[in-house]
Amino acid sequence: MLVQIISHTPLWVWALLAFLIYRGILASVDRELTLKKLSIIPLVMLALSWQGVSTVFGVTPPPMLCWLLAATVAASLNWRLFRKDRVIAYPERGVVFQRGSWLPLILMMGIFLTKYTVGVTLAIHPALAHDGAFTAVVCTLYGVFNGMFIGRLLRVVSLYHSAQQAQPAPGAYNGQLKG
């Protein structure tokens, strides 16, 4: 059965998996990024999640509320637990220095495996798409993974903007006299 599942998986799924693994390994290394680059993976994961929820369960209140509640709780927790010493903002250069972490890879694999598992499960048992408990579990998983990405991204953006506001304006008097 496993061979059948793997052989019926479209090639683009394996390409996506390779891309996510590559990006996850990249995130494990200390590096400087612009906020734009930092937001790419969270937004891609958000799109994959929403696509997974909406195509399987529809854009109806129960799955959307389940996802939203889980995402809100996870984002709030990640915001509070985020270690500020993992990021240094350099607004003058338009970048943030970010310590490497394996967490993004874990979250990406969580979303990917959830999406893959749901696809395989529904191919074998299509009636589960209408099961409330199945819907709640899947939407909660997607919400938790995305909420962690969103909370982290919002925290980094907040730290960046705080550093930006702390900078003196160009040409501002700093209390020192030249001469």
Side-chain angles (χ1 to χ4, degrees), residues 59-75:
V59 183
T60 60
M64 295 300 140
L65 288 173
C66 200
W67 182 93
L68 186 60
L69 179 62
T72 301
V73 169

Side-chain angles (χ1 to χ4, degrees), residues 117-145:
T117 302
V118 167
V120 169
T121 301
L122 291 176
I124 297 168
H125 305 289
L128 282 175
H130 307 291
D131 181 83
F134 183 78
T135 301
V137 168
V138 170
C139 293
T140 298
L141 281 173
Y142 280 138
V144 166
F145 294 134

Side-chain angles (χ1 to χ4, degrees), residues 48-49 51-52 55 110-120 142:
L48 282 174
S49 238
Q51 186 269 341
T55 57
I111 291 171
F112 178 87
L113 290 172
T114 299
K115 193 164 175 50
Y116 190 82
T117 302
V118 167
V120 169
Y142 280 138

